[in-house]
Amino acid sequence: MVPFTDTHCHLDLNQFDHDRELILKRAWKAGIAWILNPGIDLETSQEAITLSKAHPGRINAAVGIHPNFGQPWNSNILGNIRTLAQESEVVAIGEIGLDYYRQHTPIDQQRIMFQAQLNLAAELGLPVVIHNREAIEDLMTILSKWHQDLIQSNNPLTERPGVLHSYSADLDSAQAAIEMNFYLGIGGPVTFTNAPERKSVTKHLPLDHLLLETDAPYLAPHPHRGKRNEPAYIPLIAEEIAELHQISLREVAQVTFANARHLFNLNQ
Ligand SMILES: [Zn+2]
């Protein structure tokens, strides 16, 4: 079996409390060889590291504050993320970004914490895992400036700055992100039967810039839509990409694994 990757999965959340190890067993059996678990606040970032320590080489962690979980925000929190990010299990800063759909955190504050965490990522040489909801314009403006700074400071992250997770915007923004060497995370929504737009954008995205992700427990692919998602469903997403690109499932698995290796600097 060709190994798959799940580059975005929240295994630490309480939806998995009663059967986490079973879910992982199912993932390994389905051929998922590597999982990235991003945090959404300090507590879940710590839990992501603990999970990674329990499954060395198979699970890694990203640490950061999600835009919906930014209250309160102060420099102590950034200091705590910096400390967590020093752990060897941590391969990225995330998930961070902008969410204008759910403004639990005021937009001004979202921008401040996003920028602070981007700066931290550049300082530590860690790529970023980015959440965007209805904020693509501001997001691209901020990322372009950040990427320009990476180039000017000769930061090696210029070549592997991060991933726009669960990519849902248009082809133009995708191409602009690819120009900056960002990867695009493709998940369950590409399999939805009523998502022609999402399918047609994905069809035109180059495979060497795509990553597979479930975003479990959310966004389960067809035919599990609406139920709890899990990493074992990754092949359903990979099959859809194979179909759209008219290539083999094996090629999708291989290329997306190589992409994950490059982005997150893995030894696997
Ligand atoms: Zn997420």
Side-chain angles (χ1 to χ4, degrees), residues 8 10 95 165 215:
H8 198 109
H10 300 281
E95 73 181 270
H165 122 77
D215 203 15

Side-chain angles (χ1 to χ4, degrees), residues 1-5 31-34 253-254 256-257 261:
M1 194 167 5
V2 192
F4 292 98
T5 42
I32 318 305
W34 183 77
Q254 274 170 345
T256 53
F257 204 154
R261 257 186 221 113

